[in-house]
């Protein structure tokens, strides 16, 4: 069949929930028997989020092929349960870099390079790649930012042109907008939505559906008003009230019969009846009262929880599966260095140190790891969390704080974590790490092997430094087990402390492969160990 395209634009304010809406719509279509893929068009000029501070855009989400992408791709993969590739995240920086590179090679035969048609053609080419590389029958495309942003204009012009390129019957425009609430009068206002749609129409895009986001219930009369002023069918104005449980969004869209409307407008018929049994069970599990397990998440970007979005979701997936409530204590590692936050660490039933870069707050994380090791508190380390567990263990073995990673101390006499040989001499920051899916062989009899229940796994990486094999033997002699190795045995992928209820750390990022109905085995093992320590693990 001809590839169908659904385009998502945002109105009034940013962070209105386009990503979750697109992900939920993708799930609706998948439940009806269609193969789907989702693409995010990001208007910023960075080539990718890889070198951006997590305070800017939240976490960097890594795909199988090593692409460093926007965190919305995490929503897409988790909600729809699909695996995306690098063509699914496009930035202005990538588009301009490609066009300028072609111009320098002489591909344009001396022509004048302009936003239209050269930049818009490149954007359209990249949108077209999604269906061709993933085999998706329906491609959902989210345009980042808000209508009216100067940066978004080339993307909006490109998706406007696509309606004529691929045919009106193969395209559908959804505008996700915000209804502000005026407290003094107790009213929701539609005027900003009307202005936003007028702006969209002024550049040639007439929305086919409006998702009206609000923190308060939206009356039918307001939907009728939006339909009238924005020239959209009444059925196609869908109120979407902020929900306490993210996973309720697809169920709300299903109830609003959005799936049928979408397929009807695209000239398609459902291939099967949607089955939401698992999804409804998931939401019910969230709502049920459950015993609480406290996890201390020790990081340095904890002020912005989106910086650890996938870690938080992976913890929640595991907790839901086990029937426990999660209480995540967000602890800033730099505060631990000042002696603050230790009450929360001591009260926690599990400690998790996620990935990160740079030396700020490192010693605070090492102190938290020391506490977890010596007090036998379940610990899960991710990427940097593994490297710091190795450093802490090395300091215990050698009896000196000089044990370190060459990332933080180039002259350390005990470089237990060091650059990969091929990384020496690399000066660029972007895309120069070990990125993407790599195999890992699990050692029989280890905790990691028990969690996974298989001999070989493939996990997503994003790092530059590795365990220094010169120290492997002495670490093993003192009680550290290297329970996951690369197939050639050269690279340490998983380390665990033997004399400990659960102290496991990975060089990779297992959080990226966790799903709501299929929690990641290592997160499951960690939360289970924490629940057992808290004495709240429900009977199986």
């Amino acid at each position: 069949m001809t590839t169908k395209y659904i385009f998502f634009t945002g109105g009034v304010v940013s962070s209105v929930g386009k990503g979750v809406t697109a992900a939920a719509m993708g799930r609706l279509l998948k439940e009806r028997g269609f193969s789907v893929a989702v693409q995010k068009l990001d208007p910023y000029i960075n080539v990718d989020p890889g070198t951006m501070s997590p305070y800017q855009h939240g976490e960097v989400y890594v795909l199988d092929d090593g692409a460093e992408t926007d965190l919305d791709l995490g929503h897409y993969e988790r909600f729809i349960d699909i695996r995306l590739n690098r063509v699914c995240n496009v930035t202005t920086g990538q588009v301009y870099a490609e066009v300028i590179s072609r111009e320098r090679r002489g591909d344009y035969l001396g022509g004048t390079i302009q936003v239209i048609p050269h930049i818009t053609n490149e954007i359209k080419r990249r949108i077209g790649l999604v269906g061709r590389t993933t085999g998706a029958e329906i491609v959902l495309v989210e345009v980042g930012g808000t209508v009216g942003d100067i940066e978004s204009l080339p993307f909006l012009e490109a998706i406007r042109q696509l309606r004529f390129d691929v045919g009106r019957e193969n395209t559908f425009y959804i505008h996700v907008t915000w209804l502000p609430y005026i407290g003094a009068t107790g009213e929701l206002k539609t005027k900003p939505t009307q202005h936003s749609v007028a702006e969209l129409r002024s550049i040639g895009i007439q929305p086919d559906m409006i998702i009206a986001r609000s923190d308060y219930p939206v009356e039918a009369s307001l939907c009728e008003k939006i339909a009238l002023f924005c020239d959209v069918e009444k059925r196609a104005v869908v109120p979407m009230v902020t929900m306490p449980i993210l996973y309720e969004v697809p169920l709300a869209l299903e109830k609003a019969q959005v799936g049928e409307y979408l397929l009807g407008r695209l000239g398609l018929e459902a291939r099967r009846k949607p089955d939401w049994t698992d999804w409804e069970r998931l939401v019910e599990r969230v709502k049920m009262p459950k015993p609480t397990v406290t996890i201390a998440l020790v990081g340095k970007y904890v002020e912005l929880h989106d910086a650890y979005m996938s870690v938080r979701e992976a913890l929640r997936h595991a907790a839901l599966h086990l029937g426990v409530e999660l209480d995540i204590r967000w602890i800033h590692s730099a505060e631990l260095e000042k002696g603050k936050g230790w009450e929360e660490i001591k009260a926690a039933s599990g400690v998790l140190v996620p990935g990160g870069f740079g030396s700020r707050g490192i010693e605070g994380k090492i102190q938290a790891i020391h506490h977890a090791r010596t007090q036998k508190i379940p610990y899960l380390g991710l990427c940097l969390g593994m490297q710091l567990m190795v450093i802490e263990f090395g300091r215990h073995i050698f009896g000196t704080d000089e044990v370190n990673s060459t990332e933080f101390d180039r002259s350390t006499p005990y470089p237990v974590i060091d650059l990969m040989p091929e990384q020496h001499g690399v000066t660029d920051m972007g895309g120069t790490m070990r990125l993407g899916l790599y195999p890992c062989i699990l050692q029989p009899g280890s905790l990691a092997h028990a969690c996974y229940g298989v001999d070989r796994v493939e996990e997503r990486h994003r790092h530059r430094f590795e365990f220094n094999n010169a120290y492997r033997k002495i670490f093993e002699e003192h009680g550290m087990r290297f329970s996951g190795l690369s197939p050639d045995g050269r690279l340490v992928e998983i380390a665990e402390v033997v004399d400990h209820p659960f102290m496991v750390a990975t060089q990779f990022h297992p959080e990226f492969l966790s799903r709501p109905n299929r929690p990641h085995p290592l997160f499951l093992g960690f939360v289970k160990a924490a629940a057992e320590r808290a004495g709240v693990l429900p009977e199986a």
Side-chain angles (χ1 to χ4, degrees):
M1 73 178 235
T2 307
T3 308
K4 308 282 184 177
Y5 294 91
I6 301 173
F7 299 104
F8 293 81
T9 54
V12 185
V13 291
S14 60
S15 303
V16 77
K18 292 192 305 296
V20 172
T21 305
M25 295 256 190
R27 185 76 196 203
L28 256 63
L29 296 166
K30 186 184 177 187
E31 284 294 330
R32 285 162 171 77
F34 294 94
S35 61
V36 300
V38 198
Q39 182 182 51
K40 174 80 184 282
L41 304 178
D42 271 314
Y44 51 72
I45 298 174
N46 304 64
V47 170
D48 59 43
T51 55
M52 292 167 76
S53 163
Y55 288 127
Q56 296 284 315
H57 260 250
E59 74 174 4
V60 176
Y61 190 82
V62 180
L63 304 180
D64 286 353
D65 60 8
E68 296 175 283
T69 68
D70 185 82
L71 61 78
D72 274 328
L73 275 82
H75 290 313
Y76 307 155
E77 289 202 338
R78 282 188 291 270
F79 270 78
I80 310 172
D81 199 2
I82 52 176
R83 306 276 277 259
L84 301 173
N85 64 27
R86 67 174 60 252
V87 302
C88 296
N89 197 188
V90 175
T91 68
T92 295
Q94 290 170 8
V95 171
Y96 273 82
E98 177 67 27
V99 171
I100 291 167
S101 168
R102 282 191 209 152
E103 185 272 336
R104 293 287 83 187
R105 287 199 307 266
D107 292 7
Y108 298 113
L109 305 176
T112 303
I113 311 306
Q114 296 178 289
V115 172
I116 303 171
H118 300 96
I119 296 298
T120 50
N121 281 352
E122 176 60 16
I123 293 168
K124 289 191 294 183
R125 184 186 76 83
R126 286 173 179 250
I127 292 172
L129 280 175
V130 180
R132 291 198 290 279
T133 61
T134 64
E137 299 165 301
I138 303 174
V139 176
L140 297 89
V141 180
E142 178 193 345
V143 181
T146 310
V147 170
D149 293 346
I150 193 167
E151 298 99 328
S152 301
L153 283 172
F155 291 110
L156 295 172
E157 172 60 20
I159 68 169
R160 180 196 71 76
Q161 291 176 19
L162 269 166
R163 170 155 277 185
F164 294 95
D165 293 350
V166 303
R168 184 171 291 273
E169 70 283 3
N170 297 320
T171 54
F172 192 88
Y173 297 108
I174 297 176
H175 194 50
V176 185
T177 179
W178 179 251
L179 303 183
Y181 179 78
I182 308 299
T185 57
E187 288 180 291
L188 285 171
K189 288 299 195 183
T190 65
K191 186 63 75 178
T193 294
Q194 294 172 42
H195 281 305
S196 181
V197 172
E199 179 89 21
L200 202 53
R201 292 170 79 176
S202 74
I203 56 176
I205 296 173
Q206 167 61 45
D208 298 301
M209 177 179 281
I210 292 173
I211 304 289
R213 288 276 294 103
S214 167
D215 281 339
Y216 298 85
V218 182
E219 292 178 7
S221 59
L222 275 185
C223 292
E224 288 169 12
K225 186 177 179 182
I226 292 168
L228 179 67
F229 279 92
C230 298
D231 200 18
V232 174
E233 283 187 57
K234 282 182 193 175
R235 269 191 68 197
V237 178
V238 181
M240 180 59 64
V241 179
T242 303
M243 294 173 182
I245 304 166
L246 204 60
Y247 300 119
E248 285 187 286
V249 176
L251 299 179
L253 292 173
E254 181 67 47
K255 191 176 176 184
Q257 298 183 316
V258 168
E260 279 70 24
Y261 187 83
L262 269 177
L263 292 183
R265 287 292 300 269
L266 290 169
L268 300 171
E269 285 186 19
R271 293 170 182 162
R272 64 169 188 248
K273 193 168 185 279
D275 180 9
W276 293 100
T277 313
D278 281 354
W279 210 262
E280 286 164 348
R281 203 175 289 134
L282 180 77
V283 171
E284 281 308 308
R285 283 207 299 268
V286 177
K287 291 178 177 175
M288 281 166 52
K290 300 179 282 294
T292 301
V293 175
T294 304
I295 301 292
L297 192 152
V298 184
K300 64 175 181 177
Y301 308 113
V302 293
E303 301 93 331
L304 181 71
H305 294 181
D306 278 6
Y308 304 110
M309 170 80 78
S310 293
V311 175
R312 182 183 68 190
E313 291 305 303
L315 284 169
R316 285 177 175 168
H317 300 162
L320 275 174
H321 186 84
L322 293 165
V324 295
E325 193 71 60
L326 206 62
D327 178 13
I328 301 177
R329 299 295 171 92
W330 302 86
I331 297 168
H332 202 299
S333 53
E335 293 297 299
L336 292 179
E337 294 172 3
K338 300 171 190 170
K340 299 175 186 173
W342 280 101
E343 306 75 24
E344 293 196 293
I345 290 272
K346 288 171 183 172
S349 299
V351 175
L352 187 150
V353 174
F357 293 90
S359 57
R360 183 171 63 97
I362 289 298
E363 292 300 326
K365 292 178 185 177
I366 291 173
Q367 289 167 22
I369 293 166
H370 176 77
H371 177 75
R373 181 177 63 79
T374 55
Q375 301 304 309
K376 303 281 198 258
I377 298 170
Y379 172 80
L380 182 62
L382 311 174
C383 196
L384 179 65
M386 183 194 105
Q387 296 174 0
L388 297 182
M389 184 180 95
V390 164
I391 292 168
E392 191 281 328
F393 201 77
R395 290 180 179 183
H396 158 64
I397 292 171
F398 295 111
T400 171
D401 284 352
E402 288 190 287
V403 177
N404 218 322
S405 162
T406 51
E407 181 182 2
F408 315 124
D409 179 4
R410 288 185 182 179
S411 59
T412 172
Y414 302 95
V416 293
I417 301 292
D418 200 2
L419 272 177
M420 294 183 281
E422 58 268 32
Q423 289 288 346
H424 288 286
V426 171
T427 53
D428 276 7
M429 292 288 283
T432 55
M433 297 176 281
R434 185 148 77 102
L435 285 162
L437 210 62
Y438 285 87
C440 168
I441 307 299
L442 300 167
Q443 306 305 304
S446 65
L447 204 48
H449 189 276
C451 287
Y452 278 106
V454 293
D455 298 331
R456 177 191 165 109
V457 293
E458 292 192 341
E459 295 279 1
R460 294 175 179 178
H461 293 65
R462 181 178 182 249
H463 64 98
R464 190 173 279 113
F465 289 78
E466 299 274 1
F467 178 80
N468 186 342
N469 286 325
Y471 294 92
R472 200 186 282 191
K473 190 168 184 290
I474 191 169
F475 269 66
E476 286 176 331
E477 287 168 356
H478 283 81
M480 181 169 278
R481 181 168 194 169
F482 300 108
S483 52
L485 301 171
S486 58
D488 62 5
R490 279 182 59 235
L491 302 173
V492 170
E493 297 281 15
I494 309 175
E496 55 188 64
V497 175
V498 175
D499 184 25
H500 196 284
F502 190 100
M503 193 159 197
V504 179
T506 66
Q507 186 61 86
F508 48 80
H509 289 270
E511 65 270 25
F512 294 144
L513 295 182
S514 186
R515 300 289 181 262
N517 287 318
R518 203 170 58 255
H520 191 282
L522 292 180
F523 277 87
L524 201 56
F526 169 62
V527 176
K528 185 180 180 185
E532 282 170 350
R533 180 180 173 84
V536 299
L537 191 66
E539 292 295 319

